[in-house]
Amino acid sequence: MGSRAVEIAAILVVAAFLVLSLGGEHPEETPVRAYVIEHGLAQTGAANLVTSIYLGYRAFDTLGETIVLLLAVSGVVLLVEHRR
Amino acid sequence: MRKTDILDVVSRKLAPFMFLFGLYLVSHGDLSPGGGFQGGVVIASGVILLAMAKGSAAAAALLPLRRLAVTEAVVFGLILAAGFAGVVTGVGFLADVLYDGSPLPVVRTPFVFILNLLIGLKVGAGASLICLHLFAQE
Amino acid sequence: MSSVALLVVLPFVGALVALFGKLVRAEPLLSVVSTLPLLGMAALLVMQFPAVLDGAAFTYSLGGWPEPAGIALTLDGFGWLSSALVVLISTMVVFASFSSRRYRSTYFFFLMLLVAGMEVVVLTGDIFTMFVGFEIVAISAYVLIAFDRTDEGLLASLKYLLLSSMGILFFLFGVFLLYRDFGTLSLRIMAEDSATTPVAETTSVHLAVAALCVGIGVRTAFMPFHTWLPEAHAYAPHPVSALLSGVLIKISFFAMLRIIAVFRATYLSDLLLWIGAATAFLAVVWALAQRDAKRLLAYHSISQMGYVLAAFGAASALSITAAFSHAMHHALFKSLLFLVAGMAVQMSGERDLYRIRPIGRRAPLLALGFVVGALSIAGIPPFNGFASKQLISSALDHHPAYALLWITAVGTTASFIKASRLVLWRRPAGPALQTTSVMAARRSNHRVPVPEPASAGVMIHIPVIVLALLCLATGLFARPVSLLLASLLSSTEVGAFPAAAAGSAAGTGTAVAAAAGSIPATFLSGPKLLGALPVLVLGILLFLGSTTGPGIRLAGRIERIMPELRTILLYFVLGLALFAIVAYL
């Protein structure tokens, strides 16, 4: 019973954290958003602005994420193969 | 596990279309929603569908694991090379080297297209590889 | 191409070479080639050193995209220090890995990507790229911990994976909150905004910073988040343990300092100070109770990071220097200790301190290296631990938390007298050490499954000698070294933090002057040497106490307290609540 109460308290803590941090007033127009909408097409040439971000402005992050995938694949292959 | 003919037939008919759709997503990433990551995963899901319907041995016969691993490694190298191409031509790491200075917007952006293609290949190979390896465990 | 970008990209190229080593079946050659980028990085760092020391900050916009939308890499004093640490320790670990001859190019693939990830984390000026760097670091670390595929290694890796994935989830959530309010991901622009606009004082930004600290806190392993570390660092392959304890936890710690400094989160200072002191104290209690050589060292890593955290929490110009200097020194002596301990475990096939065959006679140089490391961590002059603990004690002058750190120093001394069984003592202590069945069962797992060659080899001596000499040198020349640290940090965001904490806008120049003024003129004066004496004496007494019957029973009882998965997750939430409450109030 006591342990159940602790678990519920933990979930409530996380929930309270999420609710508190998501509330409040926030600007709708942000600098990067304005910048990309204004220059995205002209600077990268990609008609799709999402693409202009992830393969233009932030191509390095995309490279990083493909490396994360490569790591995950190599890790699974390595660990799975030798556990047979 | 007992398999029915329905699964077998449907997956065989469906898989080519999934590959086609994946290729479309990869190749039109600069124009429409989609791109390398999404398209790659769609292609991989086609592979997974085949592996589930026909057995992992059949899927591995179509796409040998080693060939997938080589593809992934080579594509990783090519992506890094694409990054360094910008260094060699002096525009900077991972910068658009194929942009010739013509007034934008152009119809297609070759550099983004190539990057999408590479990433699609890499993600498709990687995701298929993980799943085929895990299927082979059973 | 600018040196900043090369620092990040070179290790990726190394990883690529290692990847092809496996495919083209030229493993030994390509393994060596894949680690060569470390040399290139070292050369770049040396080349840039004079400029960075003058306060220059090299910035490189990736892909040529300017900052509000693009990603910038920045090499300033902070980035230089962190990169130098990464390159130095990684090179040492590479030597150790070659010496054991078990690791092929797959291993070096993960190792180089770990290095690359750490470089991304420390050099990026963009918080989302930092997240990507942390992900690269994490996944390579999971695989490396489990690389020997022992049961303990796999379990430790899984534990780390669960906890740090939760942590990084909160980190990503924090990034989202920051982007919502600042409208940019660039740390530089966010720093400027939080200095000039009131946005940094809103609840949601405070909670975002708390979320970032929790996410990184799991990687740094201070107290409520430390639960994964003892197993992960103890059951990883030996060179990997040295790398994880030496560099990885420091890099995440530095990243946390940087985030706190960027958002001027002075409200977290006191919390960090007390968490640090409590971490140092509690971890040393557990360390004292360990029988397993590598677990003992792992608990000491937690404990020493507690020192660093407490020093940073004091938030003065001197305390920042003290924190960095202790972190650097800890990297040197802890990787030294882990390398020798790993070698000793490998040579005798036994991890239990009471059963291990000391390596003193078979590998005297390694034993000497271990002694140097043990003297350093115990804070015995003239080694570097003494110097940085001096700095910490003057930074925390008469603060009540310092009492905890002082007791920790006693415990550290005692447990390293115990650990010296690894290298010096002849016979296992007598039958008083018959223990419960739980421990006997665990001890049987401690046996290293694969029999190892019983000789040390030549290659392992290189890193041990280099690290031991560095421990001695940074201790002997403590004043110039700490002045160097202070001036490297002075023109960075982290260096400007104490000024922000004091509420003044005067940033850079004053900080270095203040730090230089308060660094002691000499570290090895008579009274200070005498000050180390009570710690040493009490440490010996504590060690003797721990070898008596009640001491051993107590140690056994403490050692058996092992949090299970549910408790670990509850600890995580507890930590989250702590940070959130402090940030919210």
Side-chain angles (χ1 to χ4, degrees):
Chain A
M1 193 59 216
S3 73
R4 183 63 52 83
V6 172
E7 278 161 18
I8 292 174
I11 293 172
L12 286 180
V13 165
V14 176
F17 176 79
L18 294 181
V19 169
L20 281 176
S21 51
L22 285 171
E25 289 288 311
H26 304 284
E28 283 194 0
E29 198 59 48
T30 62
V32 171
R33 202 174 98 151
Y35 182 90
V36 171
I37 289 175
E38 193 185 336
H39 303 288
L41 187 64
Q43 285 183 344
T44 64
N48 179 1
L49 280 185
V50 175
T51 304
S52 83
I53 292 171
Y54 87 81
L55 286 177
Y57 299 114
R58 308 190 67 88
F60 187 70
D61 285 344
T62 308
L63 174 68
E65 290 295 352
T66 58
I67 288 170
V68 168
L69 183 73
L70 175 67
L71 269 168
V73 173
S74 320
V76 166
V77 171
L78 179 84
L79 296 180
V80 159
E81 283 219 315
H82 291 76
R83 290 298 283 183
R84 269 192 198 155
Chain B
M1 188 178 71
R2 204 177 64 84
K3 266 187 296 198
T4 62
D5 290 343
I6 301 176
L7 178 63
D8 194 49
V9 172
V10 169
S11 61
R12 258 191 304 171
K13 300 288 182 242
L14 199 56
F17 289 99
M18 290 173 80
F19 290 143
L20 192 64
F21 182 56
L23 278 176
Y24 169 77
L25 285 180
V26 168
S27 56
H28 285 68
D30 51 336
L31 300 176
S32 56
F37 261 101
Q38 294 84 340
V41 172
V42 170
I43 292 176
S45 62
V47 177
I48 293 164
L49 185 68
L50 277 182
M52 280 165 59
K54 309 289 288 180
S56 54
L62 180 68
L63 293 166
L65 293 183
R66 186 172 160 74
R67 196 174 298 165
L68 283 178
V70 173
T71 309
E72 227 206 340
V74 170
V75 172
F76 176 46
L78 287 178
I79 294 177
L80 275 187
F84 273 109
V87 178
V88 174
T89 53
V91 283
F93 187 69
L94 272 179
D96 189 340
V97 282
L98 298 177
Y99 173 49
D100 53 0
S102 61
L104 290 169
V106 289
V107 184
R108 297 298 298 262
T109 31
F111 187 69
V112 171
F113 172 74
I114 289 171
L115 274 189
N116 258 332
L117 212 58
L118 291 176
I119 289 170
L121 258 177
K122 185 162 175 332
V123 171
S128 320
L129 201 56
I130 283 194
C131 292
L132 290 181
H133 264 284
L134 290 179
F135 286 148
Q137 285 291 294
E138 287 172 2
Chain C
M1 186 169 181
S2 118
S3 57
V4 195
L6 272 177
L7 274 176
V8 169
V9 178
L10 274 180
F12 283 125
V13 177
L16 181 68
V17 171
L19 188 61
F20 276 97
K22 195 178 162 204
L23 295 176
V24 303
R25 305 192 195 287
E27 297 206 31
L29 174 69
L30 289 187
S31 297
V32 177
V33 174
S34 72
T35 57
L36 290 181
L38 285 171
L39 288 183
M41 292 159 72
L44 284 170
L45 285 173
V46 170
M47 264 162 47
Q48 302 297 344
F49 178 66
V52 169
L53 192 58
D54 283 343
F58 298 95
T59 301
Y60 182 81
S61 298
L62 279 165
W65 305 111
E67 209 171 351
I71 302 167
L73 299 174
T74 310
L75 181 72
D76 52 8
F78 171 86
W80 192 91
L81 265 181
S82 322
S83 300
L85 184 71
V86 171
V87 171
L88 173 70
I89 306 289
S90 309
T91 313
M92 296 298 124
V93 166
V94 162
F95 277 119
S97 312
F98 282 138
S99 103
S100 90
R101 292 171 186 282
R102 301 176 50 192
Y103 301 114
R104 305 289 194 81
S105 64
T106 319
Y107 170 86
F108 289 99
F109 167 69
F110 289 108
L111 190 77
M112 289 313 288
L113 279 183
L114 184 62
V115 172
M118 292 193 287
E119 286 292 333
V120 171
V121 169
V122 297
L123 292 179
T124 181
D126 185 284
I127 198 155
F128 187 81
T129 310
M130 191 185 268
F131 163 79
V132 175
F134 269 124
E135 280 296 90
I136 296 176
V137 163
I139 299 183
S140 4
Y142 306 148
V143 180
L144 283 174
I145 290 169
F147 199 84
D148 280 348
R149 291 173 285 268
T150 56
D151 290 343
E152 292 95 341
L154 284 166
L155 203 61
S157 168
L158 183 68
K159 216 177 201 180
Y160 181 30
L161 188 151
L162 286 174
L163 201 57
S164 87
S165 307
M166 275 202 35
I168 208 70
L169 202 63
F170 278 89
F171 186 92
L172 191 58
F173 183 67
V175 172
F176 154 70
L177 291 179
L178 288 175
Y179 181 68
R180 190 180 59 170
D181 280 346
F182 285 92
T184 177
L185 291 165
S186 151
L187 281 169
R188 187 183 58 78
I189 296 176
M190 284 197 272
E192 283 167 8
D193 283 358
S194 36
T196 52
T197 59
V199 64
E201 295 307 318
T202 57
T203 306
S204 92
V205 169
H206 277 205
L207 288 177
V209 174
L212 294 181
C213 288
V214 167
I216 306 179
V218 173
R219 306 292 175 83
T220 316
F222 47 78
M223 212 36 154
F225 308 123
H226 68 287
T227 35
W228 60 270
L229 187 141
E231 269 121 280
H233 287 199
Y235 299 121
H238 309 309
V240 175
S241 299
L243 190 65
L244 296 181
S245 251
V247 199
L248 190 52
I249 53 178
K250 266 101 205 161
I251 293 309
S252 37
F253 175 71
F254 290 167
M256 186 170 98
L257 301 197
R258 187 156 165 226
I259 282 169
I260 289 177
V262 161
F263 296 102
R264 295 158 183 267
T266 49
Y267 43 88
L268 289 175
S269 292
D270 281 337
L271 177 70
L272 292 180
L273 205 166
W274 280 106
I275 284 188
T279 301
F281 174 70
L282 287 172
V284 90
V285 172
W286 258 262
L288 202 51
Q290 297 304 315
R291 300 171 60 107
D292 180 326
K294 284 181 75 182
R295 284 178 74 96
L296 185 143
L297 291 179
Y299 272 106
H300 274 293
S301 289
I302 305 177
S303 169
Q304 299 297 312
M305 286 313 282
Y307 268 96
V308 177
L309 201 63
F312 179 75
S316 68
L318 176 64
S319 80
I320 306 266
T321 313
F324 266 86
S325 126
H326 197 62
M328 292 289 177
H329 292 171
H330 178 251
L332 295 177
F333 57 66
K334 189 48 70 67
S335 32
L336 171 63
L337 287 169
F338 260 117
L339 287 180
V340 180
M343 208 59 220
V345 169
Q346 188 174 327
M347 281 163 71
S348 53
E350 176 64 61
R351 308 172 62 109
D352 189 328
L353 275 175
Y354 291 109
R355 305 169 119 233
I356 205 162
R357 280 168 61 216
I359 58 165
R361 190 155 296 172
R362 284 171 291 166
L365 268 176
L366 295 187
L368 193 65
F370 190 86
V371 172
V372 169
L375 292 176
S376 302
I377 195 173
I380 307 292
F383 296 100
N384 60 7
F386 178 70
S388 46
K389 283 183 184 176
Q390 284 290 311
L391 281 178
I392 291 177
S393 84
S394 15
L396 285 173
D397 206 13
H398 302 307
H399 194 282
Y402 185 68
L404 279 175
L405 293 185
W406 196 84
I407 301 173
T408 306
V410 174
T412 310
T413 311
S415 63
F416 273 91
I417 298 175
K418 179 174 167 181
S420 60
R421 279 174 195 281
L422 207 57
V423 293
L424 297 180
W425 292 24
R426 282 293 297 143
R427 267 314 307 159
L433 296 164
Q434 289 308 319
T435 46
T436 59
S437 56
V438 177
M439 287 184 68
R442 203 193 292 161
R443 196 189 310 141
S444 70
N445 286 337
H446 286 180
R447 293 190 172 281
V448 177
V450 192
E452 298 281 347
S455 70
V458 184
M459 200 74 119
I460 186 75
H461 284 83
I462 301 172
V464 169
I465 292 172
V466 169
L467 288 171
L469 287 179
L470 280 175
C471 280
L472 184 61
T474 47
L476 284 177
F477 304 104
R479 185 173 156 78
V481 170
S482 16
L483 282 176
L484 189 72
L485 279 178
S487 55
L488 274 175
L489 290 176
S490 63
S491 54
T492 63
E493 291 141 346
V494 177
F497 179 62
S504 78
T508 56
T510 50
V512 63
S518 43
I519 287 171
T522 167
F523 282 82
L524 296 171
S525 69
K528 284 178 179 156
L529 294 182
L530 280 182
L533 204 59
V535 174
L536 187 60
V537 172
L538 281 177
I540 293 172
L541 286 180
L542 182 59
F543 168 70
L544 292 177
S546 78
T547 53
T548 58
I552 288 170
R553 275 197 295 280
L554 184 64
R557 203 166 294 159
I558 295 177
E559 194 192 5
R560 257 171 288 147
I561 303 177
M562 291 268 292
E564 48 183 314
L565 200 57
R566 179 177 161 277
T567 326
I568 288 177
L569 295 181
L570 288 178
Y571 279 169
F572 176 84
V573 176
L574 176 73
L576 175 71
L578 268 179
F579 271 89
I581 289 169
V582 171
Y584 185 66
L585 294 179

